[in-house]
Amino acid sequence: MTVNAIQKEKCTGCGACVCVCVHRAISMEPDQEGFLYPVIDREKCTDCGLCLLKCPLSKAKPENRTEPEAFACYSRDRETQLNSTSGGVFTELAIAVLSDGGAAVGARYTENFAVEHAAIFSEEDIPLLRQSKYLQSDTQRIYAQVQEWLKKGLPVLFCGTPCQNAALRCFLRKEYDNLIRCDFICRGVASPKVFRKYLDMLESDYRAPVQSVQFKNKDAGWHRFGTRITFQNGGVYYGGRFQDPFMTGYLERNLFLRPSCHQCPFHCLQEGDITLGDFWGIEKIHPELDTDKGTSAVILNTSKGRAAFERIKPRLVWANCGTDEIRTENLCMERAAKAGRNRRKFFEEIDRRPFYELAEQYASPSKFHGFHPRTFLSGIKKILRGAQE
Ligand SMILES: Cc1cc2nc3c(=O)[nH]c(=O)nc-3n(C[C@H](O)[C@H](O)[C@H](O)COP(=O)(O)OP(=O)(O)OC[C@H]3O[C@@H](n4cnc5c(N)ncnc54)[C@H](O)[C@@H]3O)c2cc1C
């Protein structure tokens, strides 16, 4: 089978098939849009069907779910709250498992600002995993490693998208008492290729390589949804939700989400023992919990999830709430994000046009008042051209 033979709307790129193939006949390769898909080496494949059997899409819902219990909360540790995407619950869960001598598994940036899943074993490495990276993470090697640690009795916290959590469940085939699976409310993952093009544009403008990327930077407030990028020469870029072209393309225009995210079957199943999210609308429900520095929504789906949350509760400022209160302003809990109407055109042109031009054309220029000097200049040029015609 080649990449083209895979039904792209169905494949989440979780990589479980790579892990289960005993013949090492499957590898993941990026397609033209930059998303990873399995490619089968026909020479090695014996048609045993194990990959299809273990594909999370073919498996039923997770078991052992209890009536969900929901909370609004944030970490009492100011540094944790400020440096996390929402209220820092992931960090608190990680601290607990690491203090038991276990492993925390999540997504980290590679040197080139792609994203991959990795494990940490000490508290000082938590910043590597902390914070949302809104692009697809490469998970192909992690499931087998997690299984190895679990079999040795190591406590493991696994955090990832709902589909990655489903992939781990299907790969393991059995419940482990020493595993806590944590997913998050997920609107979908963006193309790593598009993200790289966006960073290339900024690196050329700032004349230096990127040093750090932080989505939902809180300097100007969590509700601003700012992206802060620093450069090796000391340069700093900041773009608000409606100014930054990557965030607008990702959040507002749905230009470059993975095709399977538009029909995600996992988005409201609460795959994990614990489901995390941003508590949008918290200012209306529990205004006392809105410090504009990030409030988490937490949904506990299993007794294991409840026990893990009970343990970290003293380290949180928290209040009970209903899951419907979390849903009110988190629309992707209700339905998967619809593909933007310019998605196809965007990807048709991505290899021949610079990112800023595509963003200007397809990511709603009306909202980009002066987001980028090049957009501004090309806007002026267009007006002048129009005046001459
Ligand atoms: C792609 C994506 C889409 C999301 N969409 C929504 C949404 O629509 N609504 C909502 O309420 N919340 C969404 N979230 C979740 C939210 O942004 C926070 O991650 C969550 O609330 C946890 O915040 P925290 O402060 O507890 O922890 P943080 O410190 O922010 O921890 C984030 C955790 O997620 C893991 N992670 C980060 N990036 C990725 C990735 N690319 N793939 C897999 N795992 C990753 C990290 O390793 C870490 O374990 C999304 C997150 C991601 C990564």
Side-chain angles (χ1 to χ4, degrees), residues 80-81 83-94 105-109 115-118 126 128-139 157-162 164 182-190 216 218 222 225 250-251 257 275-280 294-298 326 329-333:
T80 296
Q81 186 194 16
N83 292 308
S84 300
T85 316
S86 310
V89 176
F90 166 73
T91 292
E92 294 300 347
L93 291 167
V105 180
R108 71 168 179 203
Y109 285 117
V115 178
E116 65 181 11
H117 258 63
I126 288 179
L128 293 175
L129 302 187
R130 213 186 243 160
Q131 293 174 1
S132 291
K133 294 98 186 164
Y134 291 114
L135 49 149
Q136 175 129 47
S137 139
D138 186 343
T139 41
L157 168 71
F158 177 90
C159 186
T161 59
Q164 290 163 348
C182 176
D183 66 351
F184 41 77
I185 303 165
C186 182
R187 80 178 320 278
V189 289
K216 293 213 201 115
K218 298 172 181 175
W222 173 60
F225 232 111
Y250 170 66
L251 275 180
L257 292 183
T275 300
L276 302 178
D278 294 292
F279 210 131
W280 300 126
T295 307
S296 291
V298 176
I326 298 174
E329 296 206 14
N330 230 320
L331 295 181
C332 61
M333 279 180 85

Side-chain angles (χ1 to χ4, degrees), residues 21 31 60 84 125 215 246 269 272 279 305 311 328 334 372 381:
C21 181
D31 71 347
S84 300
D125 287 333
F215 292 116
F246 182 80
L269 286 182
F279 210 131
R311 185 169 167 196
T328 313
E334 295 296 330
H372 193 275
K381 276 185 201 155

Side-chain angles (χ1 to χ4, degrees), residues 5-16:
I6 300 271
Q7 268 187 291
K8 290 195 173 171
E9 304 72 33
K10 296 255 163 87
C11 175
T12 65
C14 70

Side-chain angles (χ1 to χ4, degrees), residues 99-374:
S99 70
D100 289 344
V105 180
R108 71 168 179 203
Y109 285 117
T110 64
E111 259 176 37
N112 199 29
F113 289 93
V115 178
E116 65 181 11
H117 258 63
I120 57 161
F121 297 88
S122 96
E123 253 188 57
E124 67 199 31
D125 287 333
I126 288 179
L128 293 175
L129 302 187
R130 213 186 243 160
Q131 293 174 1
S132 291
K133 294 98 186 164
Y134 291 114
L135 49 149
Q136 175 129 47
S137 139
D138 186 343
T139 41
Q140 39 184 315
R141 278 187 298 272
I142 204 70
Y143 308 116
Q145 288 176 345
V146 168
Q147 187 180 44
E148 223 177 282
W149 296 322
L150 290 173
K151 282 182 175 168
K152 285 182 185 156
L154 207 72
V156 178
L157 168 71
F158 177 90
C159 186
T161 59
C163 56
Q164 290 163 348
N165 268 276
L168 179 64
R169 168 172 60 83
C170 296
F171 177 79
L172 295 174
R173 277 175 300 159
K174 62 174 256 197
E175 277 286 325
Y176 284 87
D177 290 342
N178 47 337
L179 171 67
I180 298 166
R181 289 190 303 118
C182 176
D183 66 351
F184 41 77
I185 303 165
C186 182
R187 80 178 320 278
V189 289
S191 155
K193 177 171 169 176
V194 172
F195 185 61
R196 191 56 252 177
K197 283 200 83 144
Y198 159 74
L199 292 186
D200 288 346
M201 172 190 84
L202 289 176
E203 285 184 345
S204 128
D205 290 342
Y206 284 78
R207 296 171 200 275
V210 167
Q211 189 171 47
S212 70
V213 177
Q214 188 183 15
F215 292 116
K216 293 213 201 115
N217 170 273
K218 298 172 181 175
D219 292 351
W222 173 60
H223 290 278
R224 286 282 310 270
F225 232 111
T227 298
R228 186 176 189 271
I229 297 181
T230 63
F231 298 84
Q232 287 179 16
N233 61 0
V236 179
Y237 162 87
Y238 179 87
R241 173 184 180 149
F242 296 115
Q243 288 83 46
D244 178 75
F246 182 80
M247 265 330 215
T248 308
Y250 170 66
L251 275 180
E252 303 295 319
R253 302 287 146 209
N254 291 338
L255 276 181
F256 35 74
L257 292 183
R258 189 176 175 97
S260 59
C261 298
H262 296 303
Q263 33 182 283
C264 175
F266 302 105
H267 69 100
C268 55
L269 286 182
Q270 283 127 26
E271 247 303 320
D273 298 295
I274 301 178
T275 300
L276 302 178
D278 294 292
F279 210 131
W280 300 126
I282 189 65
E283 66 281 8
K284 294 169 208 153
I285 300 160
H286 280 293
E288 74 285 4
L289 257 76
D290 181 23
T291 57
D292 203 13
K293 296 297 174 206
T295 307
S296 291
V298 176
I299 305 173
L300 306 175
N301 305 308
T302 64
S303 50
K304 228 198 287 182
R306 278 163 210 254
F309 189 71
E310 274 308 312
R311 185 169 167 196
I312 64 167
K313 242 177 172 180
R315 295 175 62 93
L316 304 172
V317 177
W318 59 271
N320 271 102
C321 67
T323 46
D324 43 336
E325 288 176 312
I326 298 174
R327 274 170 205 272
T328 313
E329 296 206 14
N330 230 320
L331 295 181
C332 61
M333 279 180 85
E334 295 296 330
R335 53 184 175 273
K338 248 176 104 179
R341 75 190 155 89
N342 288 318
R343 187 187 186 285
R344 193 177 47 81
K345 283 193 206 150
F346 178 90
F347 276 114
E348 273 170 10
E349 296 173 23
I350 192 164
D351 292 323
R352 16 184 194 96
R353 293 179 66 193
F355 182 79
Y356 74 91
E357 259 186 42
L358 291 173
E360 184 190 19
Q361 184 166 352
Y362 296 123
S364 187
S366 61
K367 285 185 176 167
F368 282 165
H369 299 299
F371 84 85
H372 193 275
R374 285 185 186 167

